[in-house]
Amino acid sequence: MHDHLAEAIKDPDPIRVGVESGDDLICLRFETMKVYSALGAVRHLLETGAVRPGDTLIDSSSGIYAHALALACHRYGMKCHIVGSTTVDRTLKVQLEILGATVEQVPSSNNLQLDQNLRVRRIGEILRDNPTYHWMRQYHDDIHYLGYGAVADQVNDLVPTGPLCLVGGVGTGASTGAIAEYLRNRGRDVNLVGVQPFGSITFGAGHTQDPEMIIAGIGSSIEFRNVRHELYDRLHWVSFEYAMSAAVDLLRTSGVFAGLSAGAAYLSALWEHNCDSSRKHVFLAADTGTRYVESAFARHAEARPMATMRPREIGSLDELAVPWSAMSWDRRDSALTVRAEFPSATPSH
């Protein structure tokens, strides 16, 4: 019996997917993955005295973290204020308000940099007027790594032996990076594959652009200081079209209704499994597909067959190209390091 919904919904459902991969491709399907991050962070802040019950916590979110933080605040008796993008839809916004959170949204923009900058700028204005508010800084504070130790434990129990490959959206870095780091600290052999949208600067794709739309939550046009680049072995950059096609295939073949980042992770995990079947591959489905019904799933007739999609394998960030590129990152510490070491290279396919 759980004392609060946040505790009940945080655990993922492990589901074997992929017809040809047998038991070696596993989807960790979350209702809202960042509940782990928010609960762990808020609990730590309270335990260390950085905040007290009744204080107001504030942050920016494209949707998933907003719900998680509102639930964590509700669980621990905190107030919550969200500066959200327009991807915080009416269904989520109503839930947040009933949970006691206050929500404001920045003007609509299809420009990732403008959207994120507007939200962060608005938080600065609110903090100047309300200096007692605590900014959760999900984009910057390593405190958000803490909650994912429990997910690493679950992965370790799910696949108790042998080499692993973990695949998922990078976003702030506090999910894929944290899970892999906890597993490696337990002595596990883990390859970490990060997934990014085109246009994200985190791994050097700021010079590219997706002609369709932004995949919310897994990319950044501003520096995310809690991303530990040196944790990642491989990177995949996936377009909206390919992520949508894979998300539709995931639902059609496995019954898993998950978001665009899950589609991109599924596509990337299938490719990585085909390249190295010696590892068990686990990919993250961070949320459900509900907020993508109109923008993505309603277009299911346009979805490409999985067999027609393959990445452009690149050796230099200058070679990044839509709709799908992949690169061996080799645990380098930043995109600048990769540019210096590989100023140009001929791609292999």
Side-chain angles (χ1 to χ4, degrees), residues 15-292:
I15 303 163
R16 283 191 291 267
V17 301
V19 175
E20 297 179 356
S21 63
D23 294 341
D24 295 332
L25 183 59
I26 300 168
C27 172
L28 279 190
R29 184 267 186 196
F30 296 82
E31 184 167 339
T32 175
M33 182 180 68
K34 288 192 175 180
V35 168
Y36 278 100
S37 175
L39 283 175
V42 173
R43 185 164 52 243
H44 179 78
L45 290 171
L46 286 166
E47 289 172 349
T48 58
V51 300
R52 295 176 296 179
D55 285 353
T56 298
L57 308 183
I58 182 173
D59 215 340
S60 164
S61 175
S62 62
I64 302 175
Y65 186 77
H67 188 209
L69 184 59
L71 285 171
C73 287
H74 189 272
R75 167 72 176 83
Y76 288 112
M78 315 292 291
K79 297 184 179 72
C80 179
H81 185 80
I82 299 295
V83 177
S85 69
T86 52
T87 54
V88 177
D89 60 20
R90 176 170 172 76
T91 300
L92 176 56
K93 187 170 185 289
V94 169
Q95 289 184 71
L96 297 177
E97 291 171 346
I98 293 173
L99 285 168
T102 51
V103 184
E104 59 178 282
Q105 292 173 279
V106 299
S108 176
S109 172
N110 196 40
N111 181 289
L112 181 62
Q113 182 174 16
L114 179 59
D115 177 71
Q116 290 177 330
N117 280 333
L118 284 174
R119 285 188 271 143
V120 172
R121 186 181 308 137
R122 178 57 186 148
I123 285 177
E125 295 170 355
I126 293 169
L127 291 172
R128 283 193 295 272
D129 295 336
N130 302 273
T132 62
Y133 285 12
H134 182 87
W135 183 14
M136 292 299 293
R137 296 166 60 85
Q138 69 147 326
Y139 299 148
H140 307 309
D141 198 333
D142 286 350
I143 195 174
H144 292 92
Y145 277 62
L146 297 176
Y148 289 109
V151 182
D153 288 339
Q154 292 177 63
V155 174
N156 199 53
D157 292 341
L158 186 66
V159 187
T161 60
L164 281 166
C165 179
L166 180 69
V167 184
V170 177
T172 66
S175 55
T176 48
I179 297 167
E181 188 169 43
Y182 278 116
L183 285 166
R184 287 170 181 168
N185 289 341
R186 287 161 172 75
R188 296 300 301 269
D189 174 5
V190 179
N191 272 2
L192 179 57
V193 178
V195 180
Q196 286 267 278
F198 289 95
S200 173
I201 71 167
T202 305
F203 286 89
H207 61 292
T208 64
Q209 186 175 357
D210 191 329
E212 280 276 2
M213 64 174 282
I214 299 163
I215 302 176
I218 66 168
S220 176
S221 66
I222 61 176
E223 181 188 7
F224 283 2
R225 290 194 289 275
N226 63 7
V227 175
R228 299 176 189 170
H229 297 79
E230 69 277 8
L231 295 175
Y232 292 84
D233 296 282
R234 294 266 294 165
L235 263 295
H236 286 248
W237 293 265
V238 181
S239 70
F240 166 84
E241 180 190 12
Y242 276 33
M244 179 270 286
S245 297
V248 168
D249 184 84
L250 183 62
L251 176 56
R252 180 179 291 129
T253 59
S254 304
V256 176
F257 182 47
L260 286 175
S261 67
Y266 170 52
L267 183 67
S268 303
L270 277 173
W271 180 259
E272 292 296 324
H273 177 268
N274 289 337
C275 294
D276 182 8
S277 60
S278 67
R279 293 178 179 272
K280 296 275 190 179
H281 288 69
V282 178
F283 72 92
L284 306 180
D287 65 343
T288 71
T290 303
R291 63 174 172 160
Y292 299 106

Side-chain angles (χ1 to χ4, degrees), residues 285-301:
D287 65 343
T288 71
T290 303
R291 63 174 172 160
Y292 299 106
V293 169
E294 293 303 325
S295 62
F297 287 97
R299 298 171 55 180
H300 61 87

